[in-house]
Amino acid sequence: MSAPKYWREMAQRYRFEAVKCKKCGRVLFPPRLVCPACKSREFENTRINDKGTIETYTIVRIPPSQFTDEAPYPVAIVNMGDNVRVLCQVADCEPEELKIGMPVRLEFRKIQQEGSSGILAYGYKCVPE
Amino acid sequence: MVGIVGYGAYIPRNRIKVEEIAKVWGADAPSYKRGLQLREKSVPSPDQDTITMSVEATKNALKRAEIDPQDIGAVYIGSESHPYAVKPSGTVLAEAIGATPDCHCADYEFACKAGSEGMFVAMSLVKAGEMKYALGIGADTSQGAPGDALEYSASAGAAAFIFGKENVLAECLYTHSWMTDTPDFWRREHQFYPSHGGRFTGEPAYFRTIMGCAKALLEKSKMKPEDFAYAVFHQPNGKFPMTVGKRIGFKTEQMEQGWLCPTLGNTYSGASPIGLTSILDVAKPGDLIFMVSYGSGAGSDGFIFKATDKLPGVQNKAVHTRAMLDSERRKYLDYGTYSKFRGKIKLRGE
Ligand SMILES: [Zn+2]
């Protein structure tokens, strides 16, 4: 991950900043310019909450090179409420513990590092509640 | 009134037992457990470091303080395991909690007293009226060289304290700092593991410094050990804090609540600060709390806090420190997994 790309996405990666449509109330994460429900362009800032439930998951056994020492690791789609779903790694959880509908909480973790000299990228993973 | 308006801790869920480490090095586990008064220690996951644990501890502190993070005027993380050699830890934290951009930030270092240093400066800035709130954190994911005595104790954890003047949970009545140049423990640039002076780390370093600070703090406050409900000292192992506390005049009952080392290990910059969070979890209005940290090199920061009637109302707003320490989700690692988690195994091309 390049430093500029990482930096541009910080508000979402670090603080889960989202927007709420002023017309129809739809919450969008990540934020968009136009509301897909009502086409409005007026939003107010909001934040998605830090608790959710696992909607579905998979276990990555053949990982990309920067995740070699973490495999096997689960990746889940988590329902955060307000029609918001996030895709993230599940930490502190054995693959056999995973269940659909399992309550989870978001925790701040190191997401990846660029070799031994690049930047450290931080963000959220979910952990069993 | 100036003092703590929010506090929180974070302890990772992994543990390793003294037996598991001793087995690998052919050491005698019972004598280590007796000598160090330590049974197991916390271990961070590969995706956890001083920054991530500081963020989680601060989120717990914010749950109790219920303030706007934009009002935090300073962010100080004290650690000897800042993830970057060059680039601050505090900027990531401040961004993650939403305290940027109008904020003063510095990373502190002073072996194990870096955390209390951050607390001391944060408290002083609020007292001076420079800002509404300031955040001081002690966090570490320290390592001991494989097979070294330090490997049995070096663990991971964080504690965060927000200082302010309104809705104070524990008033800071007195502080005192005491330090000399004493080379008992060090790590030179580019060295992965620290070095220490063996027995020299005890009497002339740990004991002399903590007792120097504690005596000066008692004289300054005109208080006696029996006036305090709780006392907490830096805990490099389970034995030292109890010994130093008794020498000063404290009793076991005053020290047990903040004495986490037997099952937590030595969280370095987090040690006495995490002990303090455990005390704040149960303290009652009017209780006096005595805290002295210790950092090799060597120095101590001492604090006297007095719990207010606001404290009981927020104790349950975030997870208790003992609940994290004794969590049912603790995971015990074998030495192989522990070595992998702590990056002790070097892969090809690294
Ligand atoms: Zn809309």
Side-chain angles (χ1 to χ4, degrees):
Chain A
M1 196 183 314
S2 73
K5 180 179 187 309
Y6 172 64
W7 181 75
R8 277 196 303 273
E9 294 170 353
M10 232 169 233
Q12 281 70 49
R13 290 179 174 277
Y14 283 14
R15 297 189 296 274
F16 269 114
E17 282 182 13
V19 291
K20 188 173 185 176
C21 176
K22 279 187 171 171
K23 210 168 143 198
C24 75
R26 174 105 176 238
V27 177
L28 302 175
F29 179 85
R32 295 197 206 175
L33 291 173
V34 181
C35 173
C38 75
K39 310 293 178 224
S40 165
R41 289 169 180 265
E42 285 192 54
F43 297 97
E44 56 185 354
N45 292 330
T46 183
R47 246 191 235 193
I48 62 172
N49 103 52
D50 69 347
K51 284 178 183 172
T53 52
I54 290 186
E55 207 152 271
T56 187
Y57 64 87
T58 187
I59 313 252
V60 178
R61 296 177 195 277
I62 315 286
S65 60
Q66 63 270 44
F67 298 101
T68 314
D69 56 353
E70 291 178 51
Y73 58 87
V75 172
I77 292 176
V78 182
N79 186 337
M80 307 303 300
D82 283 333
N83 251 318
V84 172
R85 284 169 186 79
V86 299
L87 174 71
C88 62
Q89 257 178 275
V90 188
D92 289 357
C93 181
E94 309 311 314
E96 58 275 15
E97 281 181 82
L98 281 162
K99 277 191 195 77
I100 286 173
M102 187 165 117
V104 291
R105 161 172 63 81
L106 298 172
E107 255 193 33
F108 201 67
R109 300 282 177 128
K110 194 163 70 187
I111 304 297
Q112 56 170 297
Q113 51 188 46
E114 292 286 304
S116 56
S117 58
I119 61 160
L120 304 172
Y122 294 91
Y124 279 89
K125 293 187 183 179
C126 65
V127 297
E129 174 68 342
Chain B
M1 186 191 288
V2 179
I4 296 166
V5 300
Y7 71 92
Y10 183 84
I11 298 170
R13 78 151 181 164
N14 306 301
R15 302 285 186 274
I16 188 166
K17 287 184 187 288
V18 164
E19 286 85 350
E20 183 62 28
I21 299 173
K23 191 170 80 183
V24 172
W25 301 108
D28 181 42
S31 70
Y32 264 104
K33 287 169 83 171
R34 234 185 358 262
L36 298 173
Q37 284 191 27
L38 180 74
R39 300 194 292 279
E40 57 191 63
K41 65 166 188 172
S42 66
V43 180
S45 291
D47 60 359
Q48 293 183 304
D49 59 22
T50 286
I51 292 176
T52 67
M53 295 190 309
S54 296
V55 170
E56 290 301 319
T58 303
K59 280 161 64 185
N60 285 330
L62 283 166
K63 283 179 193 167
R64 291 186 171 109
E66 295 184 320
I67 60 161
D68 182 352
Q70 281 288 312
D71 290 334
I72 296 175
V75 166
Y76 301 126
I77 302 181
S79 179
E80 59 162 64
S81 49
H82 290 291
Y84 284 101
V86 177
K87 193 201 163 302
S89 300
T91 51
V92 183
L93 169 97
E95 200 75 63
I97 62 167
T100 53
D102 300 306
C103 191
H104 185 249
C105 170
D107 287 356
Y108 282 67
E109 283 188 23
F110 191 145
C112 299
K113 100 169 174 79
S116 61
E117 263 177 345
M119 293 166 65
F120 182 91
V121 178
M123 197 278 297
S124 303
L125 284 168
V126 170
K127 191 175 177 180
E130 291 291 322
M131 52 192 63
K132 195 169 178 191
Y133 300 111
L135 173 61
I137 297 166
D140 255 312
T141 55
S142 295
Q143 297 239 41
D148 187 90
L150 281 178
E151 193 185 23
Y152 293 89
S153 57
S155 68
F161 300 89
I162 302 167
F163 290 88
K165 285 182 174 172
E166 289 163 25
N167 293 318
V168 172
L169 310 176
E171 183 182 4
C172 185
L173 299 179
Y174 298 93
T175 61
H176 191 80
S177 287
W178 199 100
M179 69 104 186
T180 59
D181 185 34
T182 308
D184 58 330
F185 175 97
W186 61 91
R187 181 168 65 84
R188 294 269 303 274
E189 187 110 70
H190 308 305
Q191 291 295 305
F192 192 61
Y193 297 114
S195 307
H196 54 83
R199 288 187 177 274
F200 183 64
T201 58
E203 286 303 332
Y206 179 92
F207 289 98
R208 173 169 162 258
T209 307
I210 290 191
M211 294 187 64
C213 185
K215 280 181 182 160
L217 190 54
L218 289 171
E219 270 168 34
K220 199 186 251 186
S221 63
K222 300 190 174 60
M223 291 179 186
K224 300 180 294 297
E226 54 268 35
D227 296 336
F228 293 86
Y230 300 101
V232 61
F233 302 97
H234 177 54
Q235 0 200 309
N237 53 55
K239 196 174 191 173
F240 278 20
M242 282 299 188
T243 308
V244 82
K246 282 174 188 163
R247 278 198 208 168
I248 298 162
F250 290 98
K251 295 195 164 62
T252 307
E253 307 83 76
Q254 291 164 293
M255 297 188 281
E256 269 176 331
Q257 182 64 27
W259 188 52
L260 308 177
C261 191
T263 50
L264 176 60
N266 178 8
T267 51
Y268 285 60
S269 301
S272 49
I274 299 177
L276 176 62
T277 64
S278 170
I279 290 169
L280 292 171
D281 281 342
V282 299
K284 294 186 173 57
D287 281 351
L288 287 168
I289 304 163
F290 192 83
M291 166 180 163
V292 180
S293 68
Y294 172 72
S296 291
S300 283
D301 296 321
F303 299 84
I304 292 177
F305 293 105
K306 186 178 185 181
T308 72
D309 55 5
K310 298 265 188 337
L311 181 61
V314 306
Q315 286 167 333
N316 295 335
K317 284 190 174 165
V319 60
H320 281 210
T321 301
R322 285 266 178 198
M324 278 185 279
L325 189 60
D326 304 334
S327 162
E328 282 174 12
R329 292 198 47 79
R330 290 195 309 279
K331 182 187 178 184
Y332 287 93
L333 306 178
D334 56 39
Y335 195 86
T337 310
Y338 162 75
S339 302
K340 183 174 131 178
F341 274 22
R342 300 306 285 128
K344 289 176 194 277
I345 300 171
K346 293 292 159 210
L347 303 175
R348 184 166 46 182
E350 267 187 52

